[in-house]
Amino acid sequence: MTHAGRILVVDDQAINLRVVSSLLERQGYQVSCASGGEEALQACRTSIPDLILLDMMMPGMDGFSLLKAIKSDESLLRVPVICLTSVQDRDLLVQAFEAGAVDYVTKPFIAEELLARVGVHVGLKMTRDRLERVANERQELVNLVAHDLKNPLTSILFASDILVNNGVKPERVPRYLQMIHESASDALGYIRRYLESQAPGEEDAVVDAVADLDAALDWLGQRYELQCESKGLVLRISHSTSDARVQIEQLVLRQVAENLVTNALKYAAKGGELHLAAQAGAPGFWRLVAEDRGPGISAQQQRKLFKPFMRLTDGDPLDGVSSGLGLSLARHIVMSAGGQLFYEDREGGGARFVIELPAAE
């Protein structure tokens, strides 16, 4: 029977290491050995095991000291430890359990008992790890959905606020109504896409997806022209000189590019220019560039620019609507498509964000 799992055996007796490791390897476990506490601690930090079989009575750093060191290390805290102890040392088991051990096997051990206890705790550890991965993936999806819904909902709020407060000439009302309608459709489209992405086999469906950079620029111009106007920003768009198609879904490209536009709107001072352009990048790549003439981003801010939950200023210009996830998620999406998202200071002053993606074949 083959088992997955990495086990570290710690014992100062070479014969015990050979016997135990041989028994476990025959069952398919990946086994490493350490003859002392310091060696074991180093081995744990080099490659975190799924379980530790630990002899408690060793010279130098004994089992109790090693247990204490393991349980004080955040990365090792949840690794289960089974004590190997002789029959006459049963009075030490209470101390071992108090120090963080989950089980014990007495020496001389019975092979079937050792394998049974190891199997139970490795199984529990790996099940817990799988559940944590699923929980993390779900949380990432929730973060992604919540963030990407924010942009169309913000557009709806902007347009409806203008209409409610009679802040527009009658002939421009249809433009604002169209913005509300299209933003609501986008929000439903994002939800539908995320639901479909969870269906089995959907991962392969986007491999051949192709997006048009110029079409994305036209969409951004139509969607954000009025919002730029309300901020006193002049929106300028430069199309490519040839067929600028990249390997990513059109909807996903729009989502990523939206983050750059909304960031410019969020942090831009009154007035100025926002320039969006499709340009040739490195050989085999195209770029979508968003650049402004604002104050730019300091070197200190640039170091945390793409970290989750980081904002560019201490205050929140959107009064709690911003999550600080935008650039972090955008970079993750672009990298998943084989591209990159980066920042550079704009020549002559201002900020310049670049989305670089593989050209479609």
Side-chain angles (χ1 to χ4, degrees), residues 71-154:
K71 297 307 175 182
S72 63
D73 187 321
E74 186 66 30
S75 64
L76 303 175
L77 181 61
R78 302 180 70 174
V79 176
V81 178
I82 296 178
C83 298
L84 297 175
T85 180
S86 59
V87 175
Q88 60 267 30
D89 291 334
R90 283 180 175 272
D91 57 331
L92 298 178
L93 287 177
V94 173
Q95 297 179 47
F97 286 128
E98 289 177 346
V102 297
D103 207 343
Y104 73 96
V105 176
T106 57
K107 296 189 292 186
F109 60 84
I110 300 172
E112 291 79 7
E113 179 188 4
L114 176 65
L115 292 175
R117 292 179 186 271
V118 166
V120 167
H121 291 289
V122 169
L124 289 172
K125 165 68 163 50
M126 299 185 76
T127 299
R128 184 172 64 244
D129 289 347
R130 283 195 296 272
L131 291 174
E132 287 183 352
R133 284 195 297 271
V134 170
N136 289 336
E137 289 170 0
R138 294 299 183 191
Q139 186 58 52
E140 289 177 4
L141 180 62
V142 169
N143 289 340
L144 192 62
V145 173
H147 179 269
D148 286 334
L149 286 178
K150 176 177 66 66
N151 285 330
L153 292 176
T154 300

Coordinates of all heavy atoms in Angstrom, one line a residue, residues 71-154:
K71 N 7.1 24.1 18.5 CA 5.8 24.7 18.8 C 5.9 26.2 18.9 O 4.9 26.9 18.9 CB 5.2 24.1 20.0 CG 4.8 22.6 19.9 CD 4.0 22.3 18.7 CE 3.7 20.8 18.5 NZ 2.9 20.6 17.2
S72 N 7.1 26.7 19.0 CA 7.3 28.2 19.0 C 7.6 28.8 17.6 O 7.7 30.0 17.4 CB 8.4 28.6 20.0 OG 9.7 28.0 19.5
D73 N 7.7 27.9 16.6 CA 7.9 28.3 15.2 C 6.6 28.3 14.5 O 6.0 27.2 14.3 CB 8.9 27.3 14.6 CG 9.4 27.8 13.2 OD1 8.5 28.3 12.5 OD2 10.6 27.7 12.9
E74 N 6.1 29.4 14.0 CA 4.8 29.5 13.3 C 4.7 28.5 12.2 O 3.6 28.0 11.9 CB 4.6 30.9 12.9 CG 3.2 31.2 12.3 CD 2.1 31.1 13.4 OE1 2.4 31.4 14.5 OE2 1.0 30.8 13.0
S75 N 5.8 28.3 11.4 CA 5.7 27.5 10.2 C 5.7 26.0 10.6 O 5.2 25.2 9.8 CB 6.9 27.7 9.3 OG 8.1 27.4 10.0
L76 N 6.1 25.6 11.8 CA 6.1 24.2 12.2 C 5.0 23.9 13.3 O 4.9 22.7 13.6 CB 7.5 23.9 12.8 CG 8.7 24.1 11.9 CD1 10.0 23.8 12.7 CD2 8.6 23.3 10.7
L77 N 4.3 24.9 13.7 CA 3.4 24.8 14.8 C 2.4 23.6 14.6 O 2.1 22.9 15.6 CB 2.6 26.1 15.0 CG 1.6 26.2 16.2 CD1 2.3 26.0 17.5 CD2 0.9 27.5 16.1
R78 N 1.9 23.4 13.4 CA 0.9 22.4 13.2 C 1.4 21.1 12.7 O 0.6 20.2 12.3 CB -0.2 23.0 12.2 CG -0.7 24.3 12.8 CD -1.7 24.9 11.9 NE -3.0 24.2 11.8 CZ -4.1 24.5 11.2 NH1 -4.1 25.7 10.5 NH2 -5.1 23.8 11.2
V79 N 2.7 20.9 12.8 CA 3.2 19.5 12.4 C 3.0 18.6 13.5 O 3.5 18.8 14.7 CB 4.7 19.6 12.0 CG1 5.3 18.2 11.7 CG2 4.9 20.6 10.9
P80 N 2.3 17.4 13.4 CA 2.1 16.5 14.5 C 3.3 15.8 14.9 O 4.2 15.5 14.0 CB 1.0 15.5 13.9 CG 1.2 15.6 12.4 CD 1.6 17.0 12.1
V81 N 3.5 15.6 16.2 CA 4.7 14.9 16.7 C 4.2 13.7 17.5 O 3.4 13.8 18.4 CB 5.5 15.8 17.6 CG1 6.7 15.1 18.2 CG2 6.0 17.1 16.8
I82 N 4.8 12.5 17.1 CA 4.5 11.3 17.9 C 5.8 10.9 18.6 O 6.9 10.9 18.1 CB 4.2 10.1 17.0 CG1 2.8 10.4 16.3 CG2 4.1 8.8 17.7 CD1 2.4 9.3 15.3
C83 N 5.7 10.7 20.0 CA 6.8 10.4 20.8 C 7.2 8.9 20.7 O 6.3 8.1 20.7 CB 6.5 10.8 22.3 SG 6.2 12.5 22.5
L84 N 8.5 8.6 20.6 CA 9.0 7.3 20.8 C 9.6 7.2 22.2 O 10.6 7.9 22.5 CB 10.1 7.0 19.7 CG 9.6 7.0 18.3 CD1 10.8 6.9 17.3 CD2 8.5 6.0 18.0
T85 N 9.0 6.4 23.0 CA 9.5 6.3 24.4 C 9.5 4.9 24.9 O 8.7 4.1 24.5 CB 8.6 7.2 25.3 OG1 9.1 7.2 26.7 CG2 7.2 6.8 25.3
S86 N 10.4 4.6 25.8 CA 10.4 3.2 26.4 C 9.3 3.1 27.4 O 8.7 4.1 27.9 CB 11.8 2.9 27.0 OG 12.0 3.9 28.1
V87 N 9.0 1.8 27.8 CA 7.8 1.5 28.7 C 8.0 2.2 30.0 O 7.1 2.8 30.6 CB 7.7 0.0 28.8 CG1 6.6 -0.3 29.9 CG2 7.3 -0.7 27.5
Q88 N 9.2 2.2 30.5 CA 9.5 2.8 31.9 C 9.4 4.3 31.9 O 9.4 4.9 33.0 CB 10.8 2.3 32.4 CG 12.0 2.7 31.6 CD 12.4 1.6 30.6 OE1 11.6 0.9 30.1 NE2 13.7 1.5 30.3
D89 N 9.3 4.9 30.7 CA 9.3 6.4 30.7 C 7.8 6.9 30.6 O 7.6 8.1 30.2 CB 10.1 6.9 29.5 CG 11.6 6.7 29.6 OD1 12.0 6.6 30.8 OD2 12.3 6.6 28.6
R90 N 6.9 6.0 30.9 CA 5.5 6.5 30.7 C 5.2 7.7 31.6 O 4.3 8.5 31.2 CB 4.5 5.3 31.1 CG 4.4 4.3 30.0 CD 3.4 3.2 30.5 NE 3.2 2.2 29.4 CZ 2.3 2.3 28.5 NH1 1.5 3.4 28.5 NH2 2.2 1.4 27.5
D91 N 5.9 7.9 32.7 CA 5.6 9.1 33.5 C 6.0 10.4 32.8 O 5.6 11.5 33.2 CB 6.3 9.0 34.8 CG 7.8 8.8 34.7 OD1 8.2 8.2 33.6 OD2 8.6 9.2 35.6
L92 N 6.8 10.3 31.7 CA 7.2 11.4 31.0 C 6.2 11.8 29.9 O 6.3 12.9 29.3 CB 8.5 11.2 30.3 CG 9.7 11.0 31.3 CD1 11.0 10.7 30.5 CD2 9.9 12.1 32.2
L93 N 5.2 10.9 29.6 CA 4.3 11.2 28.6 C 3.4 12.4 28.8 O 3.1 13.1 27.9 CB 3.4 9.9 28.3 CG 4.0 8.7 27.7 CD1 3.1 7.6 27.6 CD2 4.5 9.1 26.3
V94 N 3.0 12.6 30.1 CA 2.2 13.8 30.4 C 3.0 15.0 30.0 O 2.4 16.0 29.4 CB 1.8 13.8 31.9 CG1 1.1 15.1 32.2 CG2 0.9 12.6 32.2
Q95 N 4.2 15.1 30.3 CA 5.1 16.2 30.0 C 5.1 16.4 28.4 O 5.1 17.5 27.9 CB 6.5 16.1 30.5 CG 6.6 16.0 32.0 CD 8.0 15.8 32.5 OE1 8.9 16.5 32.0 NE2 8.2 14.9 33.4
A96 N 5.2 15.2 27.7 CA 5.3 15.3 26.3 C 4.0 15.9 25.7 O 4.1 16.7 24.8 CB 5.6 13.9 25.7
F97 N 2.9 15.4 26.2 CA 1.6 15.9 25.7 C 1.4 17.4 26.0 O 0.9 18.1 25.2 CB 0.4 15.1 26.3 CG 0.3 13.7 25.7 CD1 0.2 12.6 26.5 CD2 0.2 13.6 24.3 CE1 0.1 11.3 25.9 CE2 0.1 12.3 23.7 CZ 0.0 11.2 24.5
E98 N 1.9 17.8 27.2 CA 1.8 19.2 27.6 C 2.7 20.0 26.7 O 2.4 21.2 26.4 CB 2.2 19.4 29.0 CG 1.1 18.8 30.0 CD 1.6 19.0 31.5 OE1 2.8 19.2 31.7 OE2 0.8 18.8 32.4
A99 N 3.8 19.4 26.2 CA 4.7 20.2 25.3 C 4.2 20.2 23.9 O 4.7 21.0 23.1 CB 6.1 19.5 25.4
G100 N 3.2 19.4 23.5 CA 2.6 19.5 22.2 C 2.6 18.2 21.4 O 2.1 18.2 20.2
A101 N 3.0 17.1 22.0 CA 2.9 15.8 21.2 C 1.5 15.4 21.1 O 0.6 15.8 21.9 CB 3.7 14.7 22.0
V102 N 1.2 14.7 20.0 CA -0.2 14.3 19.7 C -0.4 12.8 20.0 O -1.6 12.3 20.1 CB -0.6 14.5 18.2 CG1 -0.6 16.0 17.9 CG2 0.3 13.7 17.3
D103 N 0.7 12.0 20.1 CA 0.5 10.6 20.3 C 1.9 10.0 20.8 O 2.9 10.7 20.8 CB 0.0 9.9 19.1 CG -0.8 8.6 19.4 OD1 -0.7 8.1 20.5 OD2 -1.5 8.1 18.5
Y104 N 1.9 8.7 21.1 CA 3.2 8.1 21.5 C 3.2 6.6 21.0 O 2.1 6.0 20.8 CB 3.4 8.2 23.0 CG 2.5 7.2 23.8 CD1 2.9 6.0 24.2 CD2 1.2 7.6 24.1 CE1 2.1 5.1 24.9 CE2 0.3 6.8 24.8 CZ 0.8 5.5 25.2 OH 0.0 4.7 25.9
V105 N 4.4 6.1 20.9 CA 4.6 4.7 20.6 C 5.7 4.2 21.6 O 6.8 4.9 21.7 CB 5.0 4.4 19.2 CG1 5.3 2.9 19.0 CG2 3.9 4.8 18.2
T106 N 5.5 3.1 22.3 CA 6.5 2.6 23.2 C 7.5 1.7 22.5 O 7.2 1.0 21.6 CB 5.9 1.8 24.4 OG1 5.1 0.8 23.8 CG2 5.0 2.7 25.2
K107 N 8.8 1.8 23.0 CA 9.9 1.0 22.5 C 10.1 -0.1 23.5 O 10.1 0.1 24.7 CB 11.1 1.8 22.3 CG 11.0 2.9 21.2 CD 12.3 3.6 20.9 CE 12.8 4.4 22.1 NZ 14.1 5.2 21.7
P108 N 10.4 -1.3 23.0 CA 10.4 -1.7 21.6 C 9.0 -1.7 21.0 O 8.1 -2.2 21.6 CB 11.0 -3.1 21.7 CG 10.7 -3.7 23.0 CD 10.7 -2.5 23.9
F109 N 8.9 -1.1 19.9 CA 7.5 -0.9 19.3 C 7.1 -2.2 18.5 O 7.9 -3.0 18.0 CB 7.5 0.3 18.4 CG 8.5 0.3 17.3 CD1 8.2 -0.4 16.1 CD2 9.7 0.9 17.4 CE1 9.0 -0.4 15.0 CE2 10.6 0.8 16.3 CZ 10.3 0.2 15.1
I110 N 5.8 -2.2 18.3 CA 5.2 -3.2 17.4 C 4.9 -2.6 16.1 O 4.3 -1.5 16.0 CB 3.9 -3.8 18.0 CG1 4.1 -4.4 19.4 CG2 3.2 -4.7 17.0 CD1 2.9 -4.8 20.1
A111 N 5.4 -3.2 15.0 CA 5.4 -2.5 13.7 C 3.9 -2.1 13.3 O 3.7 -1.0 12.8 CB 5.9 -3.5 12.6
E112 N 3.0 -3.0 13.5 CA 1.6 -2.7 13.1 C 1.1 -1.5 13.9 O 0.3 -0.6 13.3 CB 0.7 -3.9 13.4 CG 0.9 -5.1 12.4 CD 2.2 -5.9 12.8 OE1 2.7 -5.6 13.9 OE2 2.5 -6.8 12.1
E113 N 1.4 -1.4 15.2 CA 1.0 -0.2 16.0 C 1.6 1.1 15.5 O 0.9 2.1 15.4 CB 1.3 -0.5 17.5 CG 0.9 0.7 18.4 CD 1.4 0.6 19.8 OE1 2.2 -0.4 20.1 OE2 1.0 1.4 20.6
L114 N 2.9 1.0 15.2 CA 3.6 2.2 14.7 C 2.9 2.7 13.4 O 2.6 3.9 13.3 CB 5.0 1.9 14.6 CG 5.9 3.1 14.0 CD1 5.9 4.3 14.9 CD2 7.3 2.6 13.6
L115 N 2.7 1.8 12.5 CA 2.2 2.2 11.2 C 0.8 2.7 11.3 O 0.4 3.6 10.6 CB 2.2 1.0 10.3 CG 3.6 0.5 9.8 CD1 3.5 -0.8 9.0 CD2 4.3 1.6 9.0
A116 N 0.0 2.1 12.2 CA -1.4 2.5 12.4 C -1.4 4.0 13.0 O -2.2 4.8 12.5 CB -2.1 1.6 13.4
R117 N -0.6 4.2 14.0 CA -0.6 5.6 14.6 C -0.1 6.6 13.6 O -0.6 7.7 13.5 CB 0.2 5.6 15.8 CG -0.4 4.8 17.0 CD 0.4 4.8 18.2 NE -0.1 3.9 19.3 CZ -1.0 4.3 20.2 NH1 -1.5 5.5 20.2 NH2 -1.4 3.4 21.1
V118 N 1.0 6.3 12.8 CA 1.5 7.2 11.8 C 0.5 7.4 10.8 O 0.2 8.6 10.4 CB 2.8 6.6 11.2 CG1 3.2 7.3 9.9 CG2 3.9 6.6 12.2
G119 N -0.2 6.4 10.3 CA -1.2 6.6 9.2 C -2.3 7.5 9.6 O -2.8 8.3 8.8
V120 N -2.8 7.3 10.9 CA -3.9 8.2 11.4 C -3.5 9.7 11.4 O -4.2 10.5 10.8 CB -4.3 7.8 12.8 CG1 -5.2 8.8 13.4 CG2 -5.1 6.4 12.7
H121 N -2.3 10.0 11.9 CA -1.9 11.4 12.1 C -1.5 12.0 10.8 O -1.7 13.2 10.6 CB -0.9 11.5 13.2 CG -1.4 11.2 14.5 ND1 -2.3 12.0 15.2 CD2 -1.2 10.1 15.4 CE1 -2.6 11.5 16.4 NE2 -2.0 10.4 16.5
V122 N -0.8 11.2 9.9 CA -0.5 11.8 8.6 C -1.8 12.0 7.8 O -1.9 13.1 7.1 CB 0.4 10.8 7.8 CG1 0.6 11.3 6.3 CG2 1.8 10.8 8.5
G123 N -2.7 11.1 7.9 CA -4.0 11.3 7.2 C -4.7 12.6 7.7 O -5.2 13.3 6.9
L124 N -4.7 12.8 9.0 CA -5.4 14.0 9.6 C -4.7 15.2 9.1 O -5.3 16.2 8.8 CB -5.4 13.9 11.1 CG -6.3 12.8 11.7 CD1 -6.1 12.7 13.2 CD2 -7.8 13.2 11.5
K125 N -3.4 15.2 9.1 CA -2.6 16.4 8.7 C -2.9 16.7 7.3 O -3.1 17.9 6.9 CB -1.1 16.1 8.9 CG -0.1 17.0 8.3 CD -0.2 18.4 8.9 CE 1.1 19.3 8.5 NZ 1.4 19.3 7.1
M126 N -2.8 15.7 6.4 CA -3.0 16.0 5.0 C -4.5 16.4 4.7 O -4.7 17.3 3.8 CB -2.6 14.8 4.2 CG -1.1 14.5 4.4 SD -0.5 13.1 3.3 CE -0.4 14.0 1.7
T127 N -5.4 15.9 5.4 CA -6.8 16.3 5.2 C -7.0 17.7 5.6 O -7.6 18.5 5.0 CB -7.7 15.4 6.0 OG1 -7.6 14.0 5.6 CG2 -9.2 15.8 5.9
R128 N -6.4 18.1 6.8 CA -6.5 19.5 7.2 C -5.8 20.4 6.2 O -6.3 21.5 6.0 CB -5.8 19.6 8.6 CG -5.9 21.0 9.2 CD -5.4 21.1 10.6 NE -4.0 20.8 10.7 CZ -3.4 19.7 11.3 NH1 -4.2 18.8 11.9 NH2 -2.1 19.5 11.3
D129 N -4.7 20.0 5.7 CA -4.0 20.8 4.7 C -4.9 21.0 3.5 O -5.0 22.2 2.9 CB -2.7 20.2 4.2 CG -1.6 20.3 5.4 OD1 -1.8 21.0 6.3 OD2 -0.6 19.6 5.2
R130 N -5.6 20.0 3.0 CA -6.4 20.1 1.8 C -7.6 21.0 2.1 O -8.0 21.9 1.3 CB -7.0 18.7 1.4 CG -6.0 17.9 0.7 CD -6.7 16.7 0.0 NE -7.3 15.8 0.9 CZ -6.7 14.8 1.5 NH1 -5.4 14.5 1.2 NH2 -7.3 14.0 2.4
L131 N -8.2 20.9 3.3 CA -9.3 21.8 3.7 C -8.8 23.3 3.7 O -9.6 24.2 3.3 CB -9.9 21.4 5.0 CG -10.6 20.0 5.0 CD1 -11.0 19.6 6.5 CD2 -11.9 20.1 4.2
E132 N -7.6 23.5 4.2 CA -7.1 24.9 4.3 C -6.9 25.4 2.9 O -7.2 26.6 2.6 CB -5.8 24.9 5.1 CG -6.0 24.7 6.6 CD -4.7 24.8 7.4 OE1 -3.7 24.9 6.7 OE2 -4.8 24.9 8.6
R133 N -6.4 24.6 2.0 CA -6.2 25.0 0.6 C -7.5 25.4 0.0 O -7.6 26.4 -0.7 CB -5.5 23.9 -0.2 CG -4.0 23.8 0.1 CD -3.3 23.0 -1.0 NE -3.8 21.7 -1.1 CZ -3.3 20.7 -0.4 NH1 -2.3 20.9 0.5 NH2 -3.7 19.4 -0.5
V134 N -8.5 24.6 0.2 CA -9.8 24.8 -0.4 C -10.4 26.2 0.2 O -10.9 27.0 -0.5 CB -10.8 23.7 -0.1 CG1 -12.3 24.1 -0.5 CG2 -10.4 22.4 -0.9
A135 N -10.2 26.3 1.5 CA -10.7 27.5 2.2 C -10.0 28.8 1.6 O -10.6 29.8 1.3 CB -10.5 27.4 3.7
N136 N -8.7 28.7 1.4 CA -7.9 29.8 0.9 C -8.3 30.1 -0.6 O -8.4 31.3 -0.9 CB -6.4 29.5 0.9 CG -5.9 29.5 2.3 OD1 -6.4 30.1 3.2 ND2 -4.8 28.8 2.6
E137 N -8.5 29.0 -1.4 CA -9.0 29.3 -2.7 C -10.3 30.0 -2.8 O -10.6 30.9 -3.6 CB -9.0 27.9 -3.5 CG -7.7 27.4 -3.8 CD -7.7 25.9 -4.3 OE1 -8.9 25.4 -4.4 OE2 -6.7 25.3 -4.6
R138 N -11.2 29.5 -1.9 CA -12.6 30.2 -1.8 C -12.5 31.6 -1.4 O -13.1 32.5 -2.0 CB -13.5 29.4 -0.9 CG -13.8 28.0 -1.3 CD -14.6 28.0 -2.6 NE -15.0 26.6 -3.0 CZ -15.5 26.3 -4.2 NH1 -15.6 27.2 -5.1 NH2 -15.8 25.1 -4.4
Q139 N -11.6 31.9 -0.4 CA -11.4 33.3 0.0 C -10.8 34.1 -1.1 O -11.2 35.3 -1.3 CB -10.5 33.3 1.3 CG -10.4 34.7 1.9 CD -11.8 35.2 2.3 OE1 -12.5 34.6 3.0 NE2 -12.1 36.4 1.8
E140 N -9.9 33.6 -1.8 CA -9.3 34.3 -3.0 C -10.4 34.6 -4.0 O -10.4 35.7 -4.6 CB -8.2 33.5 -3.6 CG -6.9 33.5 -2.8 CD -5.8 32.6 -3.4 OE1 -6.1 32.1 -4.5 OE2 -4.8 32.4 -2.8
L141 N -11.3 33.7 -4.2 CA -12.3 33.9 -5.2 C -13.3 35.0 -4.7 O -13.7 35.8 -5.5 CB -13.1 32.6 -5.4 CG -14.3 32.7 -6.4 CD1 -13.8 33.1 -7.8 CD2 -15.0 31.3 -6.5
V142 N -13.6 34.9 -3.4 CA -14.5 36.0 -2.8 C -13.9 37.3 -3.0 O -14.5 38.3 -3.4 CB -14.8 35.6 -1.3 CG1 -15.4 36.8 -0.7 CG2 -15.7 34.4 -1.2
N143 N -12.6 37.4 -2.7 CA -11.8 38.7 -2.8 C -11.9 39.2 -4.2 O -12.1 40.4 -4.5 CB -10.4 38.6 -2.4 CG -10.2 38.4 -0.9 OD1 -11.1 38.7 -0.1 ND2 -9.1 37.9 -0.4
L144 N -11.7 38.3 -5.2 CA -11.7 38.6 -6.6 C -13.0 39.1 -7.1 O -13.2 40.2 -7.7 CB -11.2 37.4 -7.4 CG -10.9 37.6 -8.9 CD1 -9.7 38.6 -9.0 CD2 -10.6 36.3 -9.6
V145 N -14.1 38.4 -6.7 CA -15.4 38.7 -7.1 C -15.8 40.1 -6.5 O -16.3 41.0 -7.2 CB -16.4 37.7 -6.7 CG1 -17.9 38.1 -6.9 CG2 -16.2 36.4 -7.4
A146 N -15.5 40.2 -5.2 CA -15.9 41.5 -4.5 C -15.2 42.7 -5.1 O -15.8 43.7 -5.3 CB -15.6 41.4 -3.0
H147 N -13.9 42.5 -5.4 CA -13.2 43.6 -6.0 C -13.7 44.0 -7.4 O -13.9 45.1 -7.7 CB -11.7 43.3 -6.0 CG -10.9 44.4 -6.7 ND1 -10.6 44.5 -8.0 CD2 -10.4 45.5 -6.1 CE1 -10.0 45.6 -8.3 NE2 -9.8 46.2 -7.1
D148 N -13.9 42.9 -8.2 CA -14.3 43.2 -9.6 C -15.7 43.7 -9.7 O -16.0 44.4 -10.7 CB -14.0 42.0 -10.5 CG -12.6 41.8 -10.8 OD1 -11.8 42.7 -10.7 OD2 -12.2 40.6 -11.0
L149 N -16.5 43.4 -8.8 CA -17.9 44.0 -8.8 C -17.9 45.4 -8.4 O -18.8 46.2 -8.7 CB -18.8 43.2 -7.8 CG -19.3 41.8 -8.3 CD1 -20.1 41.1 -7.3 CD2 -20.0 41.9 -9.6
K150 N -16.8 45.8 -7.6 CA -16.7 47.2 -7.2 C -16.7 48.2 -8.3 O -17.3 49.3 -8.3 CB -15.5 47.4 -6.3 CG -15.2 48.8 -5.8 CD -14.0 48.8 -4.9 CE -12.7 48.5 -5.7 NZ -12.4 49.5 -6.7
N151 N -15.9 47.9 -9.4 CA -15.8 48.8 -10.5 C -17.1 49.1 -11.2 O -17.5 50.3 -11.4 CB -14.8 48.3 -11.5 CG -13.3 48.5 -11.0 OD1 -13.1 49.5 -10.2 ND2 -12.4 47.7 -11.4
P152 N -17.9 48.1 -11.7 CA -19.2 48.4 -12.3 C -20.2 49.0 -11.3 O -20.9 49.9 -11.7 CB -19.7 47.1 -12.8 CG -18.9 46.0 -12.1 CD -17.6 46.6 -11.8
L153 N -20.2 48.6 -10.0 CA -21.1 49.2 -9.1 C -20.7 50.7 -8.8 O -21.6 51.5 -8.6 CB -21.0 48.4 -7.8 CG -21.7 47.0 -7.8 CD1 -21.5 46.3 -6.5 CD2 -23.1 47.1 -8.2
T154 N -19.4 51.0 -8.8 CA -19.0 52.4 -8.7 C -19.5 53.2 -9.8 O -19.9 54.4 -9.7 CB -17.5 52.5 -8.6 OG1 -17.0 51.7 -7.4 CG2 -17.0 53.9 -8.4

